[in-house]
Amino acid sequence: MAKTEDAADPHDESSRPVVDRSIRRPLGSTGLVANVLGLGAGPLGDARHDEHAMTRLIHEALDLGVELFDTAPSYGLSEDRLGRALAGRRERVIVSTKVGYGVPGEADWTGRCIERGIDLARERLRVDVIDVVHLHSCDSQTLRRADVRDALLSAREAGKVRHLGYSGDGEPLAEARRWSELSVVQTSFNLVDQHARDGADNRAWLGKRTLMNAAFAREAPLSPDVAEYRRRWCEADWPDEVRRDPARAALRFAAFGGPDVVLVGTARVENLRVAVAAIEEGPLPAELHVALVEIATRHAWPGLV
Ligand SMILES: NC(=O)c1ccc[n+]([C@@H]2O[C@H](COP(=O)([O-])OP(=O)(O)OC[C@H]3O[C@@H](n4cnc5c(N)ncnc54)[C@H](OP(=O)(O)O)[C@@H]3O)[C@@H](O)[C@H]2O)c1
């Protein structure tokens, strides 16, 4: 991917001083650097997808310049597939995953579950050290639990994890931002869900659901959260440039609107290429970007996990 031209800052309402327009960026103050386009490896964990096709997708992502891969134990075969496909190709690769649930014999959201969950994730991902481990959208009370915090800190101390993070939104995100040991946050950020800009700080910020789960192109039946995104998409009066090509506009908006990295969830190489092409176009024109911030402000849409 090429470096974009510099442009006027379209987003001076952000609590972050500057939105970085380069294609490779520092991730907050972690010391990590990554391409702005990250692969959300949720869809590729679906067991119905062909194994070889998913390996090709991951390799194609690397060839296109993707450096950050985000996964979770709840994404089916995603961690296993990433572990296999990235073996031998880990130079410059950053893998982030999530913990807190799904460990046989352990109660969810306990220190023991987190401790063992990290070890299981290391096995599936085939690494000694995981770059980023997020608590996966737990509530505020869990975030404050001493055993949960101690398990994360011990794993980092033991060299099993480089950076600790929280993935989620709303009040728990605010709680996570109060814990200084978390150096990464992963939040929803898209045209119809811009709440996470408020309170953004110098932590690494990974933007999820940057395509609004493609709500602009989907029909019922939809899960409640995607149905809500669809309702918001239909409710607002979008400029023609956005209506004409919502995926491209959404990605350009998100990539140059706050997060250090935008995760695109796809199991299809052609959609990954669309994302690369969109980001290579650089930021949206400043007036359009500001108009899109204003639409969300006017509707006061709350954040969705
Ligand atoms: N709580 C959490 O921690 C949490 C929650 C949600 C997401 N995430 C992370 O964020 C990643 C991305 O979020 P997401 O997958 O939920 O949402 P998303 O990236 O906003 O949307 C994914 C959907 O968009 C479609 N799509 C991709 N490119 C497209 C294009 N150019 N045109 C039209 N449709 C397109 C994909 O379908 P195809 O597969 O057909 O391309 C898929 O259905 C996840 O994979 C995960 O890593 C984390």
Side-chain angles (χ1 to χ4, degrees):
M1 286 191 235
K3 199 174 184 319
T4 53
E5 284 174 31
D6 226 23
D9 183 357
H11 176 40
D12 50 13
E13 285 164 314
S14 166
S15 53
R16 290 191 147 196
V18 178
V19 172
D20 191 342
R21 284 179 178 70
S22 51
I23 291 291
R24 291 193 81 234
R25 297 172 175 171
L27 304 191
S29 52
T30 59
L32 299 172
V33 177
N35 194 300
V36 60
L37 177 63
L39 182 65
L44 68 80
D46 189 329
R48 290 169 297 185
H49 292 311
D50 175 73
E51 202 61 43
H52 298 295
M54 293 306 98
T55 301
R56 279 198 303 278
L57 174 82
I58 295 163
H59 289 170
E60 180 81 16
L62 290 170
D63 294 343
L64 286 167
V66 168
E67 293 172 289
L68 191 146
F69 295 78
D70 179 68
T71 182
S74 59
Y75 301 164
L77 301 174
S78 179
E79 287 185 326
D80 277 316
R81 285 177 168 165
L82 277 178
R84 271 196 297 277
L86 292 175
R89 297 196 60 175
R90 291 189 186 273
E91 204 191 334
R92 291 210 333 195
V93 164
I94 296 168
V95 176
S96 77
T97 191
K98 313 191 184 87
V99 290
Y101 53 86
V103 173
E106 305 293 352
D108 290 351
W109 304 114
T110 57
R112 186 81 187 123
C113 176
I114 282 154
E115 184 190 332
R116 287 196 51 215
I118 289 172
D119 285 334
L120 291 172
R122 289 164 67 224
E123 283 173 28
R124 289 189 293 265
L125 290 166
R126 304 180 182 206
V127 292
D128 293 330
V129 193
I130 304 174
D131 299 296
V132 181
V133 166
H134 301 86
L135 286 172
H136 197 168
S137 305
C138 58
D139 59 20
S140 298
Q141 204 184 343
T142 304
L143 264 161
R144 288 191 292 267
R145 277 177 66 133
D147 60 334
V148 165
R149 291 187 171 202
D150 288 348
L152 288 172
L153 295 173
S154 301
R156 192 179 61 186
E157 179 87 22
K160 297 178 179 183
V161 176
R162 288 199 174 87
H163 299 282
L164 305 176
Y166 178 73
S167 174
D169 302 80
E171 166 46 34
L173 172 63
E175 179 65 34
R177 283 177 169 153
R178 287 190 274 272
W179 189 27
S180 60
E181 299 294 345
L182 300 178
S183 51
V184 181
V185 292
Q186 181 177 150
T187 77
S188 298
F189 188 74
N190 59 49
L191 292 174
V192 299
D193 193 344
Q194 300 180 25
H195 72 285
R197 196 173 34 229
D198 305 332
D201 51 21
N202 66 352
R203 289 177 170 83
W205 180 6
L206 313 185
K208 64 184 168 76
R209 307 181 81 184
T210 53
L211 279 162
M212 309 169 260
N213 297 96
F216 46 81
R218 295 174 62 182
E219 304 288 341
L222 299 172
S223 62
D225 52 340
V226 180
E228 172 59 15
Y229 274 174
R230 171 109 192 127
R231 192 194 65 72
R232 295 177 186 185
W233 170 255
C234 296
E235 176 186 29
D237 187 13
W238 300 103
D240 287 345
E241 302 94 298
V242 175
R243 284 212 177 277
R244 259 199 307 275
D245 194 342
R248 202 175 74 192
L251 281 168
R252 292 177 71 192
F253 176 81
F256 303 99
D260 300 317
V261 167
V262 288
L263 301 171
V264 169
T266 185
R268 299 201 301 169
V269 170
E270 55 280 23
N271 277 344
L272 203 53
R273 292 202 184 110
V274 168
V276 170
I279 288 172
E280 282 186 342
E281 285 183 72
L284 293 168
E287 323 73 66
L288 178 56
H289 190 106
V290 168
L292 298 176
V293 172
E294 280 169 3
I295 288 175
T297 306
R298 198 160 53 244
H299 286 277
W301 292 310
L304 293 189
V305 176

